């Protein structure tokens, strides 16, 4: 169960971010002031599949206020496809889109022309004047039809199947051949999207004096965007700065590299030697920013009559949409998590990534995990029914035991690492969640409700989450040389993950300063030059460890300087509350600020009364003055490069009430048992879980991308896309377990995506239980009232 | 163009605006009050909520000219003498925000709600129903509900 909090971390402190954001002083991309900027609107395809015969921009270009209209032909050296991030041997037919369509469009929303105008109103008006002559082509929307043949999305390829991959652990085929029991079923998850409340946006400013290009981009990955733009434009690295200021939610969709607009808006700024800006509107976000989740799994379990699962086979189709710029990451992550928290020694998982005439797919919070979790956990419930074994008991018989770690799955890969579950206590998680949901008393509660004509059901499911992928992240920790505050800079960005608080807590732990006095700077390529960004539940694992290492080095330096200043032996010193003092002699003390000032030979101490008498101390260095190799700063930079992923895990349970008449599902309560190793700030972890669970419930009951047969997205607004309000989300209880990861000094595992993995499986399990008298089995999400009524009708017929 | 005279956060302003100018654009672009955020421009997400004569209003569905002779309060006008408003303070203490983008809209909506229902003890369910005009993708709403209850308690 819960271990001691590692080295004093774990305070539930308030966030450093909040005061500014609560006063309305946040600065998001659309808030960047640019008095003389031009504004962009895009001409986007109204058709899902068409050949472009011609594009006539003359009327638009002639409109007063229009500065320039760009089509593919105007892009010069940039008239080439956007990058393919992750090529793979199993993907013979990769296709990425051009920034502006060349002679074919493959989804509604694809960018065809860019209007640059004096203001957005004019740009939008001009966009309507662009005449595109289309020859309609056959559309393929359903990915199962696309896989079997159907019209080709890309006629340069012989198939819509971009990739076909198989991973094997052990020998599933042999295990199935000798299995006592085999079950097989198909489980389907619909498309949804990250849907942050802030849409995407790009502001690019070319400074004619310095020739610097500054790009504000609502991205999760400022440094990679800068690298991409430098490579694309051949621009000097020191003249191109990318800033991801406050970003209003990401959830994966803002971590795609690159969207057309991220290249085109800076391109226009360079081309026009001006400031150019674009903010996505909500409809554009629905059709121009990536989706995810659409997968159909056909899963088989082989088991003994006692319910020990001996093998798993899963073949799934992954709806990729029109292009595959992010490679196979999403289906690969689904595949890497397919055996979940269970022993299952033999696994064969095969996936086909299938092109369709829909918005492209790239990672969204939990990335493929919810789909394979839904298939596995649904299949376990089915197996239990088949064998007459209670679903909880069945899980107990298969959960990996605490003494089996590290538990390898040779043949599965997550983020390039072989899958090795590193630590945890899965049975304890199950016990904790059952206790929290009130499992023991539930049968009686259910029976009582049934007497009142109400149908209650209890659902539960377990999950694991690979987190903390590399290749690395770093941090610089330094005591600012004049004002003495502690400063952390990283290569990350922040979209609400509370880095300014949690990283400050890590430094606080090392240097004894108050977290509120620590400044965290990120989302600016000028602040730190190396790193990848904030995605994949990786920020806290990599950067907290880097911060810890850097802070420890600052601490050592501070003690060495203080030893000189206090004329004491370093062994007799301790760092307490931001000051170094002689043990047992608290009056003999020098603050970090004083050390930072003293160590820098060029300083202005006399203007500041608090450092005016710095001369009362001896020199900071043993030798006089400033020698070769000396640094004027109390600072250190460190990196953390993980050798393997850290595997977080948990179990969720819920009690729902199903209205048989309406098909409406209402959550009565929801419980989470969760283990992400050492928690830097449990309130922050709670928040990540709360938001994740809400997304899981959204995927389970509400959200879908309603494409019609022509490939039109018929619910591209918040009016029709049913994102839950507070009234749809239940109160959750969270039980934290804390099994430190052995893979990093702080024992941390990531926590960003765990909450949203298993909501669909839990919800489906609860509905099945509530409607057990009808033998209903939920095999798809979202299970909205209309669909549930259909299942009830079918069961009653 | 039409003249609009409006009191914004206690300051009287007068501007000549196009009749079609949205209140959200007026606040953000004419007055530089960028704390009011725009999330959907069709009145569903609630991020742009401000107070018009004390009542919560969607500034993306309101024209600036409709506010002639009215009093508008935005998130920037809520703190008094530098001190966070009790609703803002409760949000901070309850970890009721993450990315902060929807937050100003929630805070303004909650401020209006608690003004309207002053003295009432609001159940979890009542708070959730009352908040069902504002979308948040980060928090799962739980800590927002707690913040509302905390602020209600303090406002009495």
């Amino acid at each position: 169960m819960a271990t001691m909090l590692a080295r004093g971390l774990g305070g539930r402190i308030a966030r450093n971010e909040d005061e500014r954001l609560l006063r309305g002083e946040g600065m998001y991309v659309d808030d960047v002031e640019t008095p003389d900027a031009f504004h962009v609107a895009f001409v986007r395809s109204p058709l899902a599949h068409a050949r472009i015969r011609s594009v006539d921009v003359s009327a638009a270009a002639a409109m007063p206020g229009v500065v320039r209209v760009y089509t593919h032909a105007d892009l010069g050296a940039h008239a080439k496809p956007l990058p393919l991030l992750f090529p793979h041997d199993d993907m013979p037919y990769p296709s990425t889109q051009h920034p502006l369509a060349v002679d074919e469009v493959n989804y509604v929303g694809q960018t065809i022309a860019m209007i640059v105008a004096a203001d957005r109103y004019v740009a939008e008006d001009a966009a309507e004047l662009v005449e595109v002559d289309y020859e309609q082509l056959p559309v393929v929307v359903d990915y199962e039809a696309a896989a079997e043949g159907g019209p080709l999305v890309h006629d340069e390829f012989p198939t819509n199947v971009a990739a076909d991959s198989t991973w094997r652990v052990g020998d599933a085929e042999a295990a199935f051949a000798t299995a006592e029991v085999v079950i097989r079923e198909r489980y389907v998850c619909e498309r949804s999207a990250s849907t942050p409340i802030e849409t995407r946006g790009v502001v690019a400013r070319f400074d004619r004096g310095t020739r610097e290009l500054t790009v504000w981009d609502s991205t999760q990955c400022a440094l990679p965007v800068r690298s991409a733009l430098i490579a694309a434009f051949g621009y000097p690295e020191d003249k191109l700065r990318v800033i991801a200021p406050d970003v209003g939610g990401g959830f994966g969709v803002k971590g795609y590299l690159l969207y057309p607009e991220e290249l085109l808006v800076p391109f226009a700024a360079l081309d026009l030697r001006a400031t150019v800006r674009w903010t996505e509107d909500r409809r554009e976000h629905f059709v121009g920013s990536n989706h995810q989740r659409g997968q159909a799994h056909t899963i088989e379990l082989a088991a003994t009559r006692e319910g020990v699962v001996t093998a798993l086979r899963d073949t799934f189709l992954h709806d990729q949409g029109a292009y595959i710029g992010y490679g196979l990451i999403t289906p690969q992550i689904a595949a890497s998590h397919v055996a979940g928290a269970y022993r299952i020694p033999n696994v064969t998982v095969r996936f086909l990534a299938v092109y369709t005439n829909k918005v492209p797919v790239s990672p969204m919070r939990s990335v493929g995990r919810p789909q394979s979790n839904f298939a596995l956990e649904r299949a376990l419930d089915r197996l239990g029914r088949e064998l007459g074994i209670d679903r909880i008991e069945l899980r107990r018989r298969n959960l990996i035991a605490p003494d089996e770690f590290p538990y390898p799955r040779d043949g599965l890969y997550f983020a390039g690492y072989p899958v090795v579950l590193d630590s945890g206590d899965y049975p304890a998680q199950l016990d904790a969640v059952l206790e929290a949901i009130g499992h023991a008393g539930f049968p009686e509660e259910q029976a009582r409700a049934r007497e009142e004509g109400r149908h209650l059901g209890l659902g539960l499911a377990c999950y694991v989450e690979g987190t903390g992928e590399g290749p690395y992240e770093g941090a610089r920790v330094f005591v600012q040389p004049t004002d003495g505050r502690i400063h952390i800079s990283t290569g990350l960005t922040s979209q609400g993950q509370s880095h300014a608080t949690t990283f400050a807590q890590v430094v606080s732990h090392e240097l004894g300063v108050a977290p509120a006095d620590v400044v965290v700077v990120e989302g600016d390529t000028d602040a730190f030059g190396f790193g990848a960004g904030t995605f994949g539940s990786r920020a806290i694992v990599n950067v907290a460890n880097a911060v810890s290492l850097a802070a420890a080095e600052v601490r050592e330096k501070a003690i060495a300087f203080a030893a000189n200043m206090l004329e004491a032996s370093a062994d007799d010193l301790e760092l307490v509350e931001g000051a170094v003092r002689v043990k047992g002699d608290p009056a003999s003390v020098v603050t970090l600020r004083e050390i930072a000032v003293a160590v820098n030979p060029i300083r202005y101490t006399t203007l500041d009364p608090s450092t005016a008498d710095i001369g009362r101390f001896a020199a900071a260095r043993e030798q006089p003055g400033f020698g070769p190799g000396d640094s004027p700063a109390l600072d250190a930079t460190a990196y953390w490069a993980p050798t393997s992923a850290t595997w977080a895990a948990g179990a969720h349970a819920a009690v729902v009430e199903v209205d048989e008449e309406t098909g409406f599902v209402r959550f009565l309560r929801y419980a989470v048992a969760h283990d992400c190793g050492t928690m830097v700030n449990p309130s922050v972890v709670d928040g990540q879980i709360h938001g994740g669970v809400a997304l899981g419930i959204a995927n389970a009951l509400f959200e879908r991308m309603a494409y019609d047969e022509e490939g039109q997205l018929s619910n591209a607004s918040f009016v029709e896309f049913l994102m839950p309000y507070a009234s749809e989300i239940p109160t959750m209880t969270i039980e934290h377990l804390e099994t430190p990861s052995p893979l990093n000094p702080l024992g941390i595992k990531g926590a960003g995506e765990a909450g949203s993995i298993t909501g669909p499986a839990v919800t489906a399990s609860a509905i099945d239980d509530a409607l057990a008298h009808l033998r209903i089995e939920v095999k798809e999400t979202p299970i909205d009232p209309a669909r549930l009524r259909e299942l009830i009708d079918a069961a009653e017929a | 163009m039409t003249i609009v005279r409006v009191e914004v956060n206690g300051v009287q302003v007068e501007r000549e605006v196009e009749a079609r100018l949205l209140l959200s654009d007026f606040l953000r672009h004419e007055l530089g009050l960028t704390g009011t955020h725009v999330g959907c421009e069709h009145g569903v997400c609630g991020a742009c909520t401000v107070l018009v004569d004390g009542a919560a209003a969607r500034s993306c569905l309101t024209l600036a000219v409709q506010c002639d002779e009215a009093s508008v309060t935005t998130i920037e006008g809520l703190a008094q003498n530098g001190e966070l408003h009790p609703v803002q303070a409760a949000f901070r203490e309850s970890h009721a925000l993450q990315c902060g983008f929807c937050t100003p809209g929630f805070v303004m909506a909650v401020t209006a709600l608690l003004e309207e229902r002053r003295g009432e003890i609001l159940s979890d369910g009542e708070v959730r129903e009352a908040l069902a005009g504002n979308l948040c993708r980060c928090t799962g709403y739980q800590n927002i509900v707690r913040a509302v209850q905390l602020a209600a308690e303090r406002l009495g």
Side-chain angles (χ1 to χ4, degrees), chain A residues 272-593:
Chain A
L272 300 169
R273 298 166 62 81
T275 301
V276 179
R277 64 187 301 157
W278 165 76
T279 300
E280 189 179 53
D281 69 30
R282 184 53 63 182
R283 182 179 155 75
E284 277 186 294
H285 186 78
F286 272 102
V287 300
S289 291
N290 291 353
H291 299 168
Q292 212 242 85
R293 294 284 195 259
Q295 286 182 358
H297 289 248
T298 301
I299 189 169
E300 296 169 278
L301 296 181
T304 66
R305 292 197 195 291
E306 288 73 43
V308 175
V309 181
T310 54
L312 178 159
R313 270 199 301 240
D314 181 23
T315 298
F316 69 93
L317 301 183
H318 165 76
D319 178 2
Q320 179 53 45
Y323 298 99
I324 197 160
Y326 218 93
L328 299 176
I329 300 299
T330 300
Q332 283 175 341
I333 292 178
S336 61
H337 287 67
V338 71
Y342 308 101
R343 216 167 273 116
I344 313 181
N346 303 293
V347 176
T348 297
V349 55
R350 177 186 176 203
F351 63 82
L352 282 65
V354 184
Y355 289 123
T356 53
N357 292 116
K358 291 185 281 189
V359 168
V361 158
S362 64
M364 153 186 181
R365 192 176 199 174
S366 297
V367 202
R369 299 172 182 93
Q371 299 95 314
S372 60
N373 182 266
F374 186 70
L376 171 64
E377 294 290 329
R378 294 274 62 208
L380 287 171
D381 279 4
R382 162 73 78 81
L383 180 65
R385 282 199 296 273
E386 201 103 342
L387 293 171
I389 299 172
D390 175 74
R391 57 193 162 151
I392 295 162
E393 176 56 27
L394 182 83
R395 283 172 171 79
R396 284 195 204 287
R397 291 180 192 177
N398 290 285
L399 282 172
I400 294 164
D403 61 3
E404 292 178 85
F405 295 105
Y407 189 88
R409 296 194 194 280
D410 293 332
L412 299 188
Y413 297 88
F414 167 70
Y417 306 106
V419 171
V420 183
L421 310 179
D422 59 295
S423 58
D425 190 341
Y426 301 167
Q429 282 168 187
L430 184 56
D431 290 340
V433 85
L434 290 173
E435 165 102 32
I437 202 68
H439 174 256
F442 183 71
E444 195 190 326
E445 179 185 356
Q446 190 178 36
R448 220 170 35 238
R450 195 60 54 91
E451 283 168 20
E452 298 164 8
R454 298 162 60 219
H455 299 285
L456 304 193
L458 186 146
L460 104 157
C462 304
Y463 63 90
V464 294
E465 188 204 358
T467 74
E469 69 194 77
Y472 70 86
E473 287 293 338
R476 179 181 180 216
V477 173
F478 67 106
V479 185
Q480 297 194 92
T482 304
D483 79 1
R485 287 192 302 171
I486 314 284
H487 189 113
I488 303 170
S489 53
T490 86
L492 298 175
T493 60
S494 178
Q495 309 87 44
Q497 294 86 350
S498 316
H499 296 167
T501 308
T502 52
F503 300 159
Q505 286 181 267
V506 175
V507 155
S508 163
H509 171 67
E510 290 290 344
L511 302 180
V513 294
D517 293 336
V518 178
V519 179
V520 176
V521 177
E522 53 187 20
D524 181 346
T525 57
D526 273 7
F528 197 84
F530 296 90
T534 302
F535 56 87
S537 305
R538 66 188 293 281
I540 193 76
V541 181
N542 288 293
V543 175
N545 280 291
V547 167
S548 174
L549 293 172
E553 201 178 321
V554 166
R555 177 195 179 88
E556 273 179 37
K557 285 184 179 175
I559 286 179
F561 290 129
N564 295 321
M565 293 170 76
L566 297 170
E567 297 176 287
S569 157
D571 293 341
D572 295 334
L573 298 179
E574 59 184 357
L575 202 164
V576 180
E577 290 178 6
V580 180
R581 67 186 187 192
V582 177
K583 289 175 198 165
D585 179 12
S588 217
V589 62
V590 57
T591 65
L592 284 173
R593 180 183 190 191

Side-chain angles (χ1 to χ4, degrees), chain A residues 58-74:
Chain A
S58 54
M63 194 173 150
V66 171
V67 176
R68 186 75 200 269
V69 181
Y70 296 93
T71 66
H72 169 75
D74 306 306

